[in-house]
Amino acid sequence: MVKIDIRLKEQEILILQSLVGKELVAIRRDSFNYINSSSQVVQIEAENGLFYLYSFTEPLDYFGTKEDVAVWTIETERYQVVDRKVFIETPIKEKIKSVSVIQENQRLFKNGDQTYDVWLTRGLVFDFGNRQLSFEKAIWFSEDIYIHKGYDLSRKFSSVDAFVNNDWDEGVTAECEREIITLEEKS
């Protein structure tokens, strides 16, 4: 069985935890031309510093074929890709009440035997109490980070059914479960 884990790492979760209770000053992202997305990076400015949500492809096994798969990281390091951007600044100026990390476990079975066990981070939801801001990885191969604002945003992410009901080969079945880890202010 092939196991792949491209969830955010523990140190990245700690960065997100450090944002809870702080003011999210602004995000900087690509201009929204056709869809609300930013390619490869979103800069997050909080009262405790600058952070970067990166989405870079790397060659990985994608259910039997080698493909360039987008992998997310959250870092404090500013890569050169940021300097090549003409960012649009979106002021937020709201205190972050919580951050939800949405993760998926995708499993593939061939004739009843499990062949793949894949974990990935599907997205992040910043909750301000009266509204939310989310970042979604909607497509495996795309370096685009989809950005949404509104309410109950994790429910608006791509459905797990898109994976389960994919056009798999004969004898192949899929399962997908989503879990949400909510990071809240420690009392």
Side-chain angles (χ1 to χ4, degrees):
M1 174 175 47
V2 177
K3 292 185 177 198
I4 298 171
D5 189 344
I6 55 172
R7 290 177 284 186
L8 294 176
K9 306 297 180 246
E10 184 178 347
Q11 67 271 18
E12 295 165 308
I13 300 295
L14 290 173
I15 289 173
L16 292 172
Q17 181 67 59
S18 79
L19 298 174
V20 177
K22 305 291 191 287
E23 180 181 279
L24 180 58
V25 177
I27 64 166
R28 292 175 188 87
R29 39 95 183 153
D30 290 339
S31 175
F32 293 160
N33 293 322
Y34 300 104
I35 55 174
N36 293 356
S37 70
S38 189
S39 180
Q40 296 185 315
V41 63
V42 173
Q43 184 184 63
I44 299 167
E45 180 183 353
E47 71 178 79
N48 58 332
L50 285 177
F51 304 90
Y52 301 91
L53 172 60
Y54 291 112
S55 179
F56 296 127
T57 56
E58 52 185 76
L60 291 172
D61 182 328
Y62 179 72
F63 305 108
T65 61
K66 193 69 119 181
E67 298 283 351
D68 284 337
V69 174
V71 177
W72 278 18
T73 61
I74 296 178
E75 303 182 35
T76 55
E77 185 175 343
R78 180 186 180 104
Y79 295 142
Q80 286 182 345
V81 66
V82 176
D83 298 328
R84 292 191 301 266
K85 295 280 187 176
V86 179
F87 275 139
I88 303 295
E89 181 172 310
T90 303
I92 307 292
K93 299 185 192 257
E94 297 260 0
K95 181 180 176 181
I96 300 168
K97 303 282 188 199
S98 67
V99 177
S100 295
V101 181
I102 293 83
Q103 302 183 135
E104 284 182 6
N105 180 218
Q106 301 175 342
R107 297 174 303 279
L108 217 56
F109 300 84
K110 180 152 177 96
N111 299 320
D113 292 326
Q114 188 171 359
T115 54
Y116 281 87
D117 186 22
V118 177
W119 280 94
L120 68 119
T121 298
R122 172 63 63 198
L124 306 170
V125 178
F126 288 74
D127 192 300
F128 307 108
N130 61 347
R131 65 186 176 129
Q132 295 178 329
L133 175 69
S134 72
F135 304 98
E136 179 187 10
K137 177 185 174 179
I139 303 167
W140 259 85
F141 313 105
S142 175
E143 293 177 314
D144 286 342
I145 301 166
Y146 290 79
I147 303 169
H148 306 283
K149 61 182 180 177
Y151 309 93
D152 207 16
L153 293 178
S154 65
R155 293 184 186 271
K156 296 177 182 171
F157 282 9
S158 299
S159 168
V160 296
D161 292 338
F163 176 78
V164 171
N165 297 326
N166 197 350
D167 189 21
W168 301 108
D169 292 340
E170 189 173 327
V172 175
T173 58
E175 294 177 356
C176 185
E177 294 174 357
R178 191 169 279 172
E179 73 175 21
I180 299 175
I181 298 168
T182 302
L183 308 171
E184 298 177 310
E185 199 163 9
K186 296 180 181 182
S187 46

